[in-house]
Structures are given as C-alpha cells and as structure tokens.
Amino acid sequence: MIHVRFPDGAERQFPEGATGGEVAGAISKSLGKRAMALKANGVVHDLSSPVPDGATIEILTRDAPESLELIRHDAAHVMAEAVQEIWPGTQVTIGPVIENGFYYDFAREEPFRPEDLALIEAKMREIIARNAPITCETWDRERAKTFFRDKGEAYKVELVDMIPADQALRIYRQGEWLDLCRGPHGASTGGIGSAFKLMKIAGAYWRGDSSRPMLQRIYATAWANDADLKAYLTQLEEAERRDHRRLGREMNLFHFQEEGPGVVFWHPHGWTMFQGLVSYMRRRLAGRYQEVNAPQVLDKSLWETSGHWGWYRENMFQVQSAGDEAEDKRVFALKPMNCPGHVMIFKHGLKSYRDLPVRYAEFGAVHRYEPSGAMHGLMRVRGFTQDDAHIFCTDEQMAAECLAINELILSVYRDFGFGEIVVKLSTRPEKRVGSDALWDRAEEVMTRVLGEIEAGSGGRIRTGINPGEGAFYGPKFEYTLRDAIGREWQCGTTQIDFNLPERFGASYIDAESNRQPPVMIHRAICGSMERFLGILIEHYAGHFPLWIAPVQVVVATITQDADDYAHEVVTALRTAGLRVEADLRNEKINYKVREHSLAKVPVMLVLGRREAETRAVSIRRLGSRDQTGGSLDETVTALVAEATPPDLRQA
RNA sequence: GCUGGCGUAGCUCAGUGGUAGAGCACUCCAUUGGUAAUGGAGAGGUCGCGAGUUCAAUCCUCGCCGCCAGCACCA
C-alpha cells in the first residue's frame, strides 16, 4: 500500500502502483470522469502515471489552472493529427504551448492557405469528438528513429537525436496517431473541449535558425471554456482598436508612404506631440546633462574606428555626392548611433578628473537600414530620434551615475502613467571585448546597483538577470514598462562600454597627472522618441491626458451669434498657453460634438447665445455624455492647471 | 532578408477580360441649430510600378516596389 496526502490535509491509502486515474476513480466516480491529470508534489503528470508513495497529490480537472497548459498541448497534437489526416505526407516538427495558445510547425511543399484553417479546425473537432484516450509509451531510440524515418518524418528523426542519451523517449498515442513528446498530456482528446480557434499561418525557421529551412507554422489559441476564449478575442480586438498606425491616421498625427519606407511624415498634430515630448525630456535633463549635437554625416573611417562599419555595415546608409563630377569621392555614412560623435566632443580638448562626470545628451536623429520585414509603424523605423546620452566618468562614479539614471528613468515613466517596471541586468555574453577583470568589476557594481534599485522601489520595481545577454562591449540594464492592456515594452537602457573609449583613445588626466580611460555609460530613457510616442498612443488609446494631447480644447459654437464671444474665449485660452482650435462652422452642434469626439479632443467648450450673454462656457469632456457649466475665468484656470506637465506641477 | 497574404477615390471597402462603383470625408447651395451624423447638388481614380499574353488587361502571367501577419534581425 502507498500513502498519499491531499491538499486539504486528508490522507488515504491506495494499492501499490495505483495510477492517478485509479485514485481519482476511487475518490468518486464523477471525479474519475472529470480528471485530466495528476499533480504530485507540485509536478503535473499523466493520469496514467503511478502515484508516488508519500506524495501530496491533487487530481486536476479541466478547470484547474494547470490544466490549461494540458488543453493547449493536447490541442497542438490534435491539430497535427488533423493536418496529417487531411494532407498525408505533411511532416510534423514541434508544437509547443505558448502564451494564450499553441502552435505547430509543419513541413509541406504546398503552402497552407487562409481558408485551410477552417478545414483543419473542423477536422480537429471531429478528432476531439472521437475522444480517443491519450496514452504514453516509452520507446528506445532506434525504434523511434526507424519508425519516423520510415514515415518520412526527417525532422522527428533529428529531434530524437537531439534528446540527451540519458532521457527516455516518450511517445504519445491518440487513436491511430502518435507523436514524440515529453508530455504530460490529458487523458483523452475529448478533454480539449471546444474553446479553441486557429488564428494565423506564418513562416518560421526550423529551430529558429535563418540558415535552415522555413516551415509553416499554424498559430492557435485555446482556453478551458468559451467565456475565456471570447474574452481573449475581445482583448485582441481592443489591441487592434488601439493600434497606433490606425490612430495615427484617424487622428491625423503622421503618415508613411512608399517613397520613404520606414521614415515618418509627421503632421502638425503629431509633431506637436513629438515636440511636447522633447520639451518635457529637456526639462528633465536641465542642470544635469549638457545637450550637444553631433553631425548626421561622417566619414566612413570614423565608423571603421568605432567598429560599426565592420559589425553593422549592412544596416547602415552610405552617402556620397550624387554628382558624377564631384571632386570628393569619399564615402560617408548617415549616423546609426550618436556615441562616436559624443566621444569626439569629449576628446576635443583635454579633460581633467575634475571635469568628470561629463554628461552629454542629444536628441539624435539616427538612421538604420532595418530589414524590410522588421518595420512596423512607429515601433520599428529606419529613421528615428534617440533620447541618447553618454556619461564619461571614473570607475568610482559609475555606481552613483547608474543610480541617478535609474531615478530619472523611473520618474519619467511615472509621469507618463506607467506604474509597473521591470529592470533586468544583462551580463557578459560569450563573444565580448574587455578583460575579465573589467567585466567582473562592472557586473559587481551593477549587481549592487540592481539590489539598491529593487530595495528603493517599495515593491514597484521587479528586477532580474538575463545571463549572457549583455552587449559585446559591456553589461547593461534594460527597463521594461507595462502598458494599459498589459503589454510589455522595453524602452530604457543603461550600458557600460569598455570598447568605444579605448577604440577612440579617449582619456582624462587623473590626480597624479596620468592619462586614464574614462568609464563610458550609454543611456536612453524613451529609447526612440517615435516608438515611445507609438507606445503612448496605444497605452492611452488616443485618449491623452491634457498635457500630452495635441489639441487640448476645441471651442465650438452653436450659432453665429456666439462667434465674437468664441474668438474671445479662444484668445483667452491661447494666451493662457493652451492648444486650442475654434470650430465656427455652420454645422449643428451634434455634428461638431460627434466629429471632435471621434478626433479624441479631450475638452470641448460649447458656446451658444446663453454662454455669450453670461460669459460662461459649457464644458463637455471626451468620453462623457453630459456637460458641466462654468465661468470663462474659472475654466481657463482649471484647464491650465490640468494641462500643466507633471514635472512643472506644484506639489 | 525569409514564408504567406494584400495593394481600386483622402479613409473604409464592393466589383468586372470590353478603360470603374458605394458610404464617409471634400466643394457649392439652402438651413443658425443646445451636446455623437440637417437636406440637396457637385467634384474626385494612369485600379502600386514595369513588362508579357490578348483584338482588348484594373482583372490572367512574370518581375519590381510598398503594406500586413509571423519568423530571423534589432549596435
């Protein structure tokens, strides 16, 4: 007999070798039916696994949170079976569970067509209805390889070879179909239920390697019940509604066109926001950083020295005189980064240790020739503006600088309404420059700083380590923020650089009159201003707080009798520093309200004869069905207060 | 860059081997109104670009460009 304990503390005995399924059935007939998997000592197992003696166990039904992964994993197998049933000869490869669903990669000459998804889905429902038991077998390697080789499953043979020799090969069978898989799985295909949906077809490289063949991936989502599926689909619609490319067009903020792939045409309202963001950042830098401006176009030799020409040449724009007769045949590059320019400025004239730290900031427009498939609205462009800065300091100053940067980054994010931040330290990669002693020192300092960041955050900041993810020239912190619908965006970064000062021979004179290389810290807060604006657009879904909104107030008249007063109101608001537009058109107020609501103008002041006579305004806020009244003077004061950027507000 | 899909008016989209349509937006006329579409009229397109097939191509074929989804990339 074996003893087991249940989560509620109850203990029971079962015959030696009893499986999870037998235990479930012994507890109650209905649990036996509903059981999906066995959880023993915190680990999920197949229901057919024997229960270990002395374990704390739980019988998982499909409502258990842990079961969702099983449902998705089972569904992936069923999808593979469905595809092979419809198109025999299609090879199956891998089909893991991912966030919100699963995918399976297939190898087949003929591409899947969008309309095939419905076909596959119907077949899946057929297979699920058959409700075949899912069983596990252990095969030896040769049997597995022979089996898959005979079936023409070359990728599976490769997978068998990749499994470490000391690990057992597990084969999961459902009806006539089987797959190599480490499990665990549910008890039968019927447990998958009906709350799933095939989402899209995409190409994906075998083993994520662009030098290997491209497979066809089918993405799907799956949930424990229809309500969860529906909620997920609604959430996707919500994300689509917030898409900054759509809002950028609807709100007339910017556009792209064919002649300029990946470069932004900023329209007046969009540029107002862009400049507002830059102004805000300038105020935040004032007193700590010196703003500089390095050239757009520099001789290729400088980029050879910096190392960019060697590493990133394919991604750089080369420029030359277009004239055939040009005397200067030199090759220049459009700057892809600001750092070499800043090092040049630092190097200009001797620097003393007394000058350090030197902090140069630039809103630097950079150009990178991004692969065509990488471009995505404002999020990934070929021409963008970095809120870049480089700090030249001594080794002793490094920690304090990192902490100061951290504080600045966090307070900026807070001002834009981002509460949850993750900071991760990326440590030395295999391929790197700089001595181990330098890396040891920098990582030691940054690890300490990371601890201080977490301790000083009062729980707001989560921290972590990305081992081996550092830049080749030094370790870095990466700042990730979470937007209103839970998506994560990596924006800020602080990077130590052992490479550039040395390559350019930058130095300062220390207290003993010796030349010393400075520590160089790169840092960005927004990262790309374009991308950050894209994130803000999606975060706020276009409903910007007053201080960010490109048009803060529209003054709309009901009749022409109010025109004179409307001009007065506009002047008063504008004098007070607000961004105002007047709508005196000969249209009904319903029409105007609708139009400005769709344009997401935060505040509408509606003026008719009544307001003109009493020097009042009728205020309608975006998203509100009703309106409030107020005097002109009070309203101006209140709006000015609300429109004041957070960094200028009196506490 | 790779795989697949797409490209028709400013926007959202119909459509056909015989050189094109709707709604909204735009212009003009009437209407001066009280918080999400007043009525009428008008104008607007080299159907992404270039070749080919055809008596005839927006439609079929090929190439290129761009966009979308995913993969790869992201100093």
Side-chain angles (χ1 to χ4, degrees), chain A residues 310-322:
Chain A
W311 278 71
Y312 292 109
R313 198 179 156 175
E314 287 71 30
N315 301 307
M316 286 170 71
F317 285 97
Q318 173 176 310
V319 277
Q320 263 185 308
S321 163

Side-chain angles (χ1 to χ4, degrees), chain A residues 64 97 128 138 152 212 220 226 320 353 379 391 399 404 415 430 462 569 603:
Chain A
V97 172
I128 290 167
T138 306
R212 293 181 201 257
D226 290 340
Q320 263 185 308
Y353 70 97
M379 302 304 186
I391 296 166
D415 281 349
E430 290 206 5
R462 284 189 295 128
V569 171
V603 178

Side-chain angles (χ1 to χ4, degrees), chain A residues 191-210:
Chain A
I192 294 166
S194 61
F196 66 91
K197 185 173 171 7
L198 306 198
M199 303 298 285
K200 53 198 166 198
I201 303 162
Y205 296 108
W206 169 232
R207 294 170 66 184
D209 183 341
S210 60

